[in-house]
Amino acid sequence: MSRISRFTADTKYPVTQTLFELFHGAPGSSNKSASKGPRKTFKEGFAPDLRNDIVSDSLCDDTIKYLAPTLEKHKGCTIIDIHPGASVWSSKLHDFLQPKRHLLMEPEERYFTPFIKPLLDKPGSTYRHTNLIGAHPREYWPNYEKVLGEAELAPSPALSADDPALRELNPTLLVIGNLSRQYKVMARARSVHFGALILQQFLHAALTNQLFHRSGLVRMMLWLPEAEKYTLFPTSEVYRHSLNARLGVGSSLTEVVGTVDLYDTADSFYFRRRRRPPVLEAIIADRAQRRMDDLGMQPPPGRALLHDRPKPDGSAFLSPFETTVSTWQDLEAEVTTTEARLAELVQLDRGDRRRGTPSQRQQREQAMLRSMKHPQCEASGETFKGSGNNVTWIAVWADLGMRVLNLEVALRQLEEKGEDAATYERVRDRILKLDHDSDTIATSESMNMAEFAQRVVEQQQACLMDPPIIALDARAYEPLKATPSDFWPNSELMLLDMVPKGRDLAVEGLASKREMSKLCETFCRSLLESPTRTLPEALERLAPNAGRDVIPMVDIARDPRKGGRLNPHRIRVRMISDELIEGLIKAWVEWPFKPSLTDLVLASESSEGVNEEAREAEVEE
């Protein structure tokens, strides 16, 4: 699409004619001079460089109908509206919620007369307007003190520091906004996109009850450029980085509307390995559908969903988190069966795997596939097809890894019953030895299957645990499909629903919420500088003996249902769950030998040299 056609007024949406005249000049005028416009309302460096507005009435109507079951609790609330611009989305949502106050934080004068003023002039209008900036790469936090403190704007008195309501959702306030408005700032090292930057700052505010979260946690519905989807919604745990981990600790992030399907390019080998196999995609989609049914959400007639997800086809499937074990005798019998399975694989490796004609070898491989306990491993192994590896043996060894994971789940469940500590230790040691032996054999030169098998196990653990560790797998519902013409200029935007979690990171007597939020940011960045490292290795890079001392302080580090493993060297840092991160940082502040936060930052910066190593590992994967 040419630059000119993107900015042309669309007769389908009359509002685009006004926008075109405002920002690109009326017919016959100089577009260049008009595009600059008045900037006197902005401090130097604060004027926007690029704007996008939502102009489709039907998209707004459909989105509100879709979200209606989740919006009911916000009726009569106060709305803080960041960059409302042409106000099509703002007015539609206003009409549905009938808020007692709707504050339009629109700093650009050119929007005022055609779009903002008519809303303010309506009889009995509950709209209010301020030219204070609600989101900016530089300075905007002090503006909320004025906004929340003035009776004529959006008054919201702060709760006392010990009020438990601070960590609960406050439905009387709703924040909406358009973060696709870009501001020209000096590029710096490790800089991020504007939308991701604001999400991080709003996350910090939620974890520390600052800004509009000072009266309780506030739901945020924000429009962002689709280009940021690849950062915010990795398609696999392999591509999960510190930003995703931090956002997961403090919020649930769901895409409501989108224009780009992450799986459109899935036909290539490169992208095929970046998506879930169809059997897992079907399970994840079914899980989202059940959540939608529970909420009473239905796609509006005529509006398609963004993703064409595969449907369950009845393929055999067994989650590693499901177990029928109820006694120690049952568990020991399962351990014995898994030990026998390992011996069988070793025997095949030493002789039968390469013996006989190709047809005979294929028959043996098919027999091994049929004898797998977790048949979905075959589909996961297929994602490595074309990589030069034997996908059948990847699946078979992954199945063994899944069996060991399932033994750990059963062990944890029996441990929680608090019975027979001596038996627990004996069975635990058997499982640890089984895990060690299987890894040693699979890593051998003749096999070389350990790495691939572990990726399959991690893939299934990541998306089948409750909750999953990446936002795309944990989505509350499926996104609706929009088109670039729903925005002006023609753009690819998405609407995000960001709901803060009630997690309280403060450690009484040791660290406040603000200190812990900063520690969480630094800790995640430090650990995930090299996401393929094991958790003990990553901690040891931060401080001597940290892996040895800190991990045992976190009980869920041994719980595979929460992202842990019996052997912590099985936990790669890209697999650490939100709960495990919370446990680790709380244990960190209680650890008497911890370095200062400054030293931790320096350790993080000194590890930047491993980034290239991590990127190379990801390319291989």
Side-chain angles (χ1 to χ4, degrees):
M1 180 180 296
S2 70
R3 179 174 176 82
I4 295 176
S5 63
R6 285 184 65 239
F7 288 90
T8 303
D10 189 341
T11 55
K12 182 179 177 181
Y13 306 116
V15 68
T16 60
Q17 181 62 44
T18 305
L19 288 167
F20 181 80
E21 293 174 0
L22 283 175
F23 296 105
H24 295 276
S29 68
S30 170
N31 283 358
K32 182 176 180 180
S33 61
S35 64
K36 291 183 177 180
R39 297 193 177 210
K40 62 183 179 181
T41 59
F42 295 95
K43 288 192 258 183
E44 184 178 356
F46 276 65
D49 187 53
L50 178 67
R51 306 162 188 81
N52 294 107
D53 283 283
I54 301 90
V55 297
S56 170
D57 293 282
S58 62
L59 176 62
C60 295
D61 290 336
D62 288 345
T63 303
I64 293 170
K65 289 177 185 176
Y66 187 51
L67 289 176
T70 73
L71 293 172
E72 287 291 335
K73 59 180 174 287
H74 298 294
K75 285 190 172 179
C77 69
T78 294
I79 298 176
I80 294 178
D81 195 342
I82 302 166
H83 298 155
S87 301
V88 176
W89 166 247
S90 303
S91 60
K92 292 283 186 179
L93 192 60
H94 178 102
D95 292 343
F96 179 81
L97 293 179
Q98 294 295 303
K100 66 177 181 181
R101 182 66 56 85
H102 188 155
L103 179 65
L104 304 168
M105 298 186 72
E106 181 48 72
E108 277 215 74
E109 282 189 349
R110 279 175 289 182
Y111 283 112
F112 183 79
T113 299
F115 301 119
I116 304 297
K117 190 173 184 299
L119 300 178
L120 299 174
D121 291 344
K122 286 184 175 182
S125 174
T126 58
Y127 286 101
R128 299 293 185 273
H129 170 254
T130 178
N131 59 11
L132 294 172
I133 296 177
H136 194 275
R138 290 168 62 181
E139 179 184 344
Y140 72 92
W141 275 50
N143 294 342
Y144 283 99
E145 286 294 326
K146 302 174 185 176
V147 163
L148 300 170
E150 293 188 14
E152 284 302 309
L153 296 179
S156 181
L159 298 178
S160 61
D162 59 350
D163 193 326
L166 281 172
R167 303 310 303 163
E168 298 173 0
L169 284 174
N170 173 18
T172 66
L173 187 60
L174 178 66
V175 170
I176 65 175
N178 183 354
L179 302 184
S180 67
R181 191 175 300 183
Q182 302 293 297
Y183 293 88
K184 185 181 293 183
V185 294
M186 183 71 68
R188 297 175 297 181
R190 300 179 73 174
S191 61
V192 297
H193 289 292
F194 173 60
L197 172 68
I198 300 302
L199 290 186
Q200 291 179 71
Q201 293 173 350
F202 284 176
L203 170 71
H204 175 71
L207 289 171
T208 58
N209 289 113
Q210 297 185 80
L211 298 184
F212 39 78
H213 299 288
R214 68 182 193 175
S215 302
L217 303 176
V218 177
R219 180 183 185 181
M220 296 156 280
M221 298 173 63
L222 306 165
W223 293 92
L224 280 82
E226 278 277 10
E228 303 198 33
K229 179 182 291 187
Y230 302 93
T231 301
L232 299 173
F233 293 100
T235 56
S236 164
E237 69 286 343
V238 172
Y239 312 105
R240 180 174 180 249
H241 296 290
S242 62
L243 172 62
N244 311 118
R246 298 199 307 274
L247 287 171
V249 168
S251 67
S252 297
L253 201 63
T254 303
E255 184 182 16
V256 183
V257 173
T259 51
V260 174
D261 187 344
L262 286 171
Y263 296 115
D264 273 348
T265 51
D267 288 338
S268 71
F269 172 64
Y270 177 84
F271 281 98
R272 186 169 66 244
R273 288 187 297 168
R274 279 158 169 73
R275 65 177 295 178
R276 305 293 190 203
V279 63
L280 287 182
E281 275 297 314
I283 290 171
I284 296 167
D286 182 65
R287 190 167 55 198
Q289 183 60 56
R290 282 187 273 112
R291 293 193 189 105
M292 291 169 59
D293 293 340
D294 291 341
L295 291 169
M297 296 176 62
Q298 293 292 332
R303 176 70 60 176
L305 295 175
L306 179 62
H307 306 300
D308 183 17
R309 300 291 188 186
K311 304 297 182 184
D313 59 2
S315 299
F317 183 90
L318 179 63
S319 169
F321 300 109
E322 297 176 7
T323 179
T324 58
V325 169
S326 59
T327 67
W328 289 113
Q329 291 78 11
D330 292 342
L331 180 54
E332 290 201 82
E334 287 290 329
V335 174
T336 300
T337 300
T338 308
E339 289 170 340
R341 176 68 170 184
L342 174 60
E344 183 182 6
L345 294 183
V346 172
Q347 182 63 35
L348 282 171
D349 175 47
R350 288 175 176 171
D352 291 344
R353 187 157 71 101
R354 297 180 178 87
R355 186 177 300 161
T357 65
S359 176
Q360 291 172 329
R361 290 197 296 269
Q362 184 179 14
Q363 289 177 5
R364 284 195 296 271
E365 290 180 355
Q366 290 301 313
M368 294 301 296
L369 289 174
R370 287 193 298 271
S371 63
M372 292 195 306
K373 182 178 180 180
H374 301 274
Q376 69 270 21
C377 290
E378 182 179 3
S380 294
E382 286 291 328
T383 60
F384 295 101
K385 194 171 185 178
S387 64
N389 299 284
N390 186 315
V391 296
T392 296
W393 281 89
I394 291 176
V396 168
W397 279 96
D399 172 68
L400 183 66
M402 296 279 279
R403 293 180 187 222
V404 174
L405 178 63
N406 185 247
L407 293 175
E408 294 182 23
V409 171
L411 178 71
R412 182 69 177 187
Q413 291 180 353
L414 291 177
E415 179 191 4
E416 290 172 345
K417 294 181 178 180
E419 301 174 0
D420 200 350
T423 302
Y424 167 80
E425 292 180 3
R426 183 179 71 251
V427 177
R428 177 201 62 194
D429 291 344
R430 285 184 67 187
I431 295 174
L432 283 171
K433 183 179 185 304
L434 175 61
D435 184 42
H436 176 268
D437 291 347
S438 64
D439 185 62
T440 300
I441 295 167
T443 309
S444 65
E445 185 176 352
S446 61
M447 268 294 179
N448 194 28
M449 288 291 164
E451 176 65 21
F452 300 102
Q454 185 177 355
R455 292 180 202 170
V456 173
V457 173
E458 288 178 345
Q459 178 189 74
Q460 302 205 27
Q461 183 184 14
C463 65
L464 295 176
M465 59 190 284
D466 187 19
I469 64 170
I470 63 172
L472 198 60
D473 293 342
R475 58 187 180 272
Y477 44 82
E478 299 288 8
L480 299 178
K481 183 174 180 59
T483 62
S485 63
D486 292 326
F487 312 99
W488 189 90
N490 282 4
S491 310
E492 294 175 340
L493 300 186
M494 61 179 175
L495 175 62
L496 299 187
D497 188 0
M498 185 175 182
V499 181
K501 295 177 180 176
R503 182 171 281 127
D504 189 350
L505 297 183
V507 179
E508 188 174 358
L510 292 176
S512 66
K513 286 185 289 189
R514 294 191 185 190
E515 291 169 327
M516 290 298 287
S517 177
K518 179 61 178 175
L519 175 62
C520 180
E521 177 185 353
T522 306
F523 198 81
C524 289
R525 182 179 292 124
S526 302
L527 288 184
L528 278 101
E529 285 286 355
S530 182
T532 58
R533 291 192 183 277
T534 67
L535 181 58
E537 289 173 340
L539 288 173
E540 289 295 330
R541 292 181 65 84
L542 301 185
N545 300 321
R548 182 196 68 186
D549 294 347
V550 174
I551 295 175
M553 298 169 65
V554 185
D555 181 61
I556 65 169
R558 296 182 293 109
D559 189 345
R561 301 167 302 179
K562 305 296 182 182
R565 292 299 301 267
L566 205 55
N567 177 4
H569 288 278
R570 280 292 193 189
I571 309 172
R572 288 201 262 206
V573 290
R574 68 190 183 198
M575 289 291 294
I576 53 178
S577 64
D578 308 335
E579 289 181 76
L580 186 49
I581 292 172
E582 178 185 9
L584 288 169
I585 61 176
K586 287 183 175 180
W588 184 269
V589 299
E590 294 173 355
W591 185 42
F593 307 107
K594 65 181 177 294
S596 68
L597 185 60
T598 301
D599 291 336
L600 190 61
V601 172
L602 292 175
S604 169
E605 293 175 349
S606 69
S607 67
E608 287 181 15
V610 306
N611 279 351
E612 189 62 34
E613 171 191 335
R615 282 194 291 270
E616 290 174 358
E618 290 174 4
V619 169
E620 293 174 0
E621 291 172 341

